Every structure is written in structure tokens, then in C-alpha cells.
Amino acid sequence: MKTIDELLAEGVAGKRVFVRADLNVPLDGTTITDDGRIRAVLPTIAKLAEAGARVVVASHLGRPKGTPDPAFSLAPAAARLGELLGADVAFATDTVGESARAAVAGLADGQVAVIENLRFNPGETSKDDAERGAFADQLAELADVYVGDGFGAVHRKHASVFDLPARLPHYAGYLIATEVGVLKKLTTDVQRPYAVVLGGAKVSDKLGVIDHLLERADRILIGGGMAYTFLKAQGHEVGSSLLQEDQIPAVQEYLRRAEEKGVEFVLPVDVVVAPAFPDLKTKAPAHPTTVAADAMPEGQMGLDNGPETNKLYASKLADAATVFWNGPMGVFEHPDFADGTRAVAQALVDSPAFSVVGGGDSAAAVRILGFDENAFGHISTGGGASLEYLEGKTLPGLAALED
């Protein structure tokens, strides 16, 4: 895999460099609530611009179903990128049409343009190779060189991620090089003890990675909505908590295999419950109570780890040498149910371990809860991509960058 440093050594002045970034930021209307992904790709874009490239930045945002939708416009991301670069950034209101061609043609050396949301074109996400390829052909007309730096999308076989690199000289940007280097530390020559913290809503989203980690991790800590399927699999009642009944046999098999292999599975010993899911807009008090994990009352919903679980999990992370965390421990967006997620983040800050926060809601939680990002070994920009890498899957966007 060639890197951007090799490209810069070859010279990029005057060349149109297509940067597939991940600007898929959360929006409240047109206000960006977390610009972490924009800041993550900034070093690649800035370095190319400084070297005189004419930088064409492309990304997806949300799931607009292959047609333009103002709610998913990249305009706010383009504006924020300009603020961070301290320079004007041109914005094209389409992907490969008249506006995109004009924006790229108007670039001088060292200038940057952002084209509109790639997923406004059905060819970007099409499962038909010919349709994807046709869109990739149109994108290729906008550039001379391709730089892949959208790690959050490398697990997708999409036109701008998989097909376009085959049509242009291609290189990995700084973010992808960093992400892959970090993930290798979680899969080869891992420093032990190796602890994994998994949360989030659905256990079905994590089955593949749990299966893979049973062969590699020393201990696995479970939280979030998925914990209640584990507790149910152990024979406990879980009230009205999120539950995937159809996954109970798989979970029971994982618990059996973990015991057989000597992998420590750690589940909540107490949980914070409430009668209903909280209002995340008003943040109105949700009247939580704390109960033992094996004594959840009927009609109560588990929404966070309890204080004893927080202490237990901190102790299980204190002596780890490597930690991977993906998924919050509760509904961290509401103050009544943020303590479990905060406790895991604090435990990683306090631990001497090499800690990796696996993107998605975990990365958002770290920022929302006010932690210093530099206190962690690495905060990934791609939760789904990180999980699939740890499952041992081939990621299309990484494969496309290989020569």
C-alpha cells in the first residue's frame, strides 16, 4: 500500500488529487455537533494543499437513498473544513455534474473544493458492478490521483471507495495509515492482558467480533443494551429492557466457549433502570433507580451500568496492557444514564494500557462527556470498519489501495 508521503515525494503541484474523506458528521439541522471526523482528515488535506495540489474532497453523509436531500448536504462540513484550514473551500452542489466540474476547473494550486454528498448519486452504493463502475468513471474525470482517507467507509464496496482507486494512481492518506497501524496492534503481537469492552444496543451487531475475539482476548466486558441478552441467557429476568431473544442460543454458546478457553466474560452486577426510555431532547429527569442485575423488576428498562459494575469494570481494566472499546455502556446522551460510559472512559484514561476507542458512539461519547482525546491511545473514526477488521474480514476500501 503506497502512502501519501510517497505521493508527496513524487510531487503533486498542479495535480488534481481526489481525497475520499469521511465527513459523515452528526448534524442538528445544519449545525455540526461533533467535527471529529473532519479534524481527523485535516492533516492529509492540508499537506496536499501546502504541496500545491488541487484537492478535490469527497464524502458521504447519512443515508439519502441515492437522491439529493438537503438534510444530508455536505455544505456544513465544507464550511467547517474551510474554518479549520483557514482558507476558502469551494463547494459543488452536485457530485459529477456541471457544478462539480466547474468547482474543480476553478481550482488553483493549493486550493480545495468539496463536492456534494456522494450518496446523492445511486451509483455510489449500487450493488450492480456496472452502475458503480460508471459512476467511478465520472468521478475519475475530476482527478489525476486518488488518496483514500475515509477510514469510516473502507468496509463498504462503494464506487468512491472500491472502484475509483482502480482507475487512478492510488495512495493511502495519513488517517488510514494510522488506523491500520493501530488495528494491527490489536490483532498481531498484542500486548497482554488484552481486554475488550463491548457495548451498544444490539448483540447481533457484535456477534462476528465476539466470535473472533474469543480466540484472542483475555477478558471481554459487556455493557449497553446488548448486556440484557447476555443476562437473559444466564437465566435472569430483564424487565422491559432491550432484548434479542433470537440471539440467546448464540450468546449461551459464546459464554460456554469463553469458559472453555479461559476467556473471562464480565457482565453487569447492577444496572440503572427507569420505567421508560428517556427524552433525549429535553433531558427531563427519568426517575432512575439502581437494582441488582439478577433482580430487575418487571416494567423497568435497563439503561446503564450501576455503580458496583462501574467499579468492577474499572478494576478489570486497571491492569490491562491493551484495551479495545466499542459501544457505550448506556444511554450516555442523557445525564441520568451517562455514568457507565463515563466510568469506562475514565478507566482507560487512568490505565497505562494502549487504549483504542473504536469509533462511532464511543468516540462521540468521549468528546461529549468532556474527555481529552489525547488521553487515549487512539480514537478511531470508523466503528463499523474497526469491528470488521477485528473480525478478520477483508475490507474493500483497504484492498483497493493495495498494489
Side-chain angles (χ1 to χ4, degrees):
M1 185 184 293
K2 290 183 180 179
T3 68
I4 187 175
D5 284 332
E6 294 173 83
L7 171 60
L8 291 166
E10 294 167 9
V12 294
K15 291 183 179 179
R16 300 171 302 163
V17 180
F18 187 103
V19 177
R20 201 332 179 160
D22 179 8
L23 308 181
N24 185 26
V25 292
L27 294 171
D28 182 2
T30 59
T31 301
I32 296 171
T33 58
D34 180 359
D35 67 356
R37 283 177 168 162
I38 302 175
R39 288 185 287 109
V41 76
L42 198 64
T44 290
I45 296 171
K47 195 72 172 180
L48 288 167
E50 288 169 12
R54 302 179 181 192
V55 186
V56 183
V57 181
S59 176
H60 69 287
L61 192 152
R63 302 187 181 209
K65 308 297 184 184
T67 187
D69 183 339
F72 297 106
S73 175
L74 277 174
R80 180 59 180 151
L81 176 61
E83 291 172 357
L84 292 169
L85 286 171
D88 290 337
V89 169
F91 180 66
T93 56
D94 57 26
T95 56
V96 291
E98 183 178 337
S99 180
R101 291 193 297 271
V104 175
L107 289 175
D109 292 2
Q111 291 185 333
V112 179
V114 174
I115 62 175
E116 186 56 284
N117 191 337
L118 292 165
R119 291 184 183 175
F120 284 2
N121 190 304
E124 170 68 0
T125 59
S126 176
K127 290 182 167 49
D128 181 83
D129 291 348
E131 185 178 14
R132 269 199 338 273
F135 183 48
D137 287 339
Q138 291 178 294
L139 290 171
E141 292 176 5
L142 301 175
D144 306 305
V145 181
Y146 177 93
V147 172
D149 216 27
F151 180 73
V154 294
H155 58 314
R156 306 296 188 191
K157 192 176 182 181
H158 291 170
S160 66
V161 176
F162 179 74
D163 302 272
L164 183 56
R167 289 157 167 78
L168 295 169
H170 45 270
Y171 302 80
Y174 292 124
L175 176 60
I176 278 186
T178 298
E179 295 271 14
V180 171
V182 166
L183 287 169
K184 284 181 177 178
K185 290 184 180 181
L186 300 178
T187 52
T188 58
D189 299 323
V190 180
Q191 296 297 306
R192 299 185 178 279
Y194 179 18
V196 176
V197 186
L198 296 176
K202 295 180 179 179
V203 68
S204 56
D205 293 340
K206 305 291 196 299
L207 288 178
V209 75
I210 293 172
D211 184 68
H212 205 66
L213 288 169
L214 281 173
E215 305 295 329
R216 291 160 178 79
D218 297 302
R219 60 185 72 125
I220 300 175
L221 287 61
I222 302 292
M226 63 185 287
Y228 303 102
T229 300
F230 277 86
L231 291 169
K232 184 71 172 180
Q234 289 187 324
H236 305 308
E237 292 304 318
V238 295
S240 59
S241 305
L242 183 64
L243 176 65
Q244 289 186 284
E245 292 262 12
D246 61 325
Q247 301 299 331
I248 288 176
V251 167
Q252 290 173 329
E253 175 61 15
Y254 286 146
L255 292 171
R256 185 197 65 76
R257 281 176 53 198
E259 185 174 3
E260 182 181 89
K261 293 177 176 295
V263 176
E264 186 179 8
F265 242 104
V266 188
L267 299 177
V269 294
D270 62 344
V271 294
V272 181
V273 301
F277 197 84
D279 188 326
L280 299 183
K281 285 191 177 292
T282 66
K283 304 290 196 298
H287 309 293
T289 55
T290 300
V291 299
D294 60 359
M296 292 183 63
E298 187 176 344
Q300 293 285 316
M301 179 183 295
L303 296 165
D304 195 16
N305 287 347
E308 293 305 314
T309 300
N310 294 339
K311 292 177 188 175
L312 172 65
Y313 284 20
S315 72
K316 296 296 182 182
L317 297 172
D319 67 340
T322 304
V323 179
F324 174 71
W325 171 32
N326 181 280
M329 298 293 98
V331 187
F332 71 92
E333 302 92 337
H334 192 286
D336 288 344
F337 308 105
D339 285 351
T341 301
R342 183 181 289 107
V344 167
Q346 188 63 54
L348 297 191
V349 170
D350 295 340
S351 169
F354 174 67
S355 57
V356 178
V357 181
D361 284 342
S362 310
V366 163
R367 289 187 275 266
I368 289 170
L369 296 175
F371 286 90
D372 179 359
E373 294 179 46
N374 295 320
F376 303 87
H378 179 69
I379 298 179
S380 177
T381 58
S386 296
L387 288 176
E388 290 200 15
Y389 190 100
L390 292 181
E391 286 179 43
K393 290 184 177 180
T394 297
L395 305 188
L398 296 185
L401 293 175
E402 297 288 351
D403 289 310

